[in-house]
Amino acid sequence: MTPTGLFVPLITPFDASGGVATDALEALGHQVLDAGATGLVALGTTGEPAALTDTERRTVVDVAAAICRDRGAPLLVGAATAEALAALGDRPEVTAALTVVPPFVRPGEAGVVAHFRALAAGSPVPLIVYDVPQRTGQHLSAATLRELAAIPGVVGVKHAPGVVTADTVALLADPPRDFAILGGDDAFVAPVLALGAHGGVLASAHCATPDFVRLIGAWRDADPAVARQLGHRLSRLSAALFAGPNPTVLKGVLHAQGRIPTPDVRLPLLPAARPLVTAALAQLTA
């Protein structure tokens, strides 16, 4: 399976008691699929997985898997260790794991390739490399991404370098066969799609989901006039939604829309300042 289209990395909504609001999570999943998203992501960065207990993480995956099973939609799950990957083996709804480049240790590009080769060899599901150097501290060149693409069981990359880089251009100018390149920087996804990306993993698509679907489709169908118009507007929306640490502003917006019971996040995150939420809501109605 080569993942293409729009994947929405679900937030983890919390109720007034501080627990996972499973009804709201289920509703969000169905809403974005109803609006045209291809699939869902559970336990991505947007879902605050490090702040959840083991039981809560299982609950989040249970809810997302039930939605995708009901809808026949693909599910990606954040999993970065051999143990976490092994736990996905009895979940047929999971089409791939979203596996982050090892953070903090900065193993070098050869170390990253060896790490993914070892994980893929023992994983019951395919891997999508989560390339996000702003968080990991590890840059990956286009040459290294091609090495990763050649590993059996590695089927794509969530490419989130923070800007459109020379390596982005080099990779998309001659993309590896049967390897999905998914934009992962919401504000910059339009130019990445214009260069030939196969879709995106976009937290901003909790909001204005149909427009993000149209943006991906417009570049796929070679309709640049529509794509540019949508891209300009959605880039501004994404910038507003990421004006505070992810997913603080997004949760504030979803709460203001009545879609989740609280805007709460867990430490070390703090709720978004009200002006940031107001600015993002203004972009939604612009």
Side-chain angles (χ1 to χ4, degrees), residues 13 47 54 65 67 77 96 111 114 135 138 158 160 183 198 210 214 218 239 241 249 254 259 271 275:
D54 289 342
I67 297 167
V77 176
R135 292 183 181 270
Q138 178 66 65
K158 178 184 175 182
H198 302 91
R214 288 176 60 213
L241 289 169
V249 180
L254 294 174
R259 296 170 65 189

Side-chain angles (χ1 to χ4, degrees), residues 58-76:
R58 284 193 296 271
T59 296
V60 167
V61 177
D62 286 343
V63 172
I67 297 167
C68 290
R69 182 169 60 250
D70 180 54
R71 304 294 296 268
L75 174 63
L76 312 181

Side-chain angles (χ1 to χ4, degrees), residues 6 29-37 71 205 208-211 213:
L6 174 64
H30 282 292
Q31 286 163 11
V32 297
L33 292 175
D34 286 342
R71 304 294 296 268
T209 314
D211 289 337
V213 173

Side-chain angles (χ1 to χ4, degrees), residues 174-198:
D174 183 21
R177 185 175 180 180
D178 298 325
F179 183 74
I181 302 167
L182 302 173
D185 285 311
D186 297 35
F188 298 104
V189 74
V192 173
L193 289 167
L195 288 167
H198 302 91

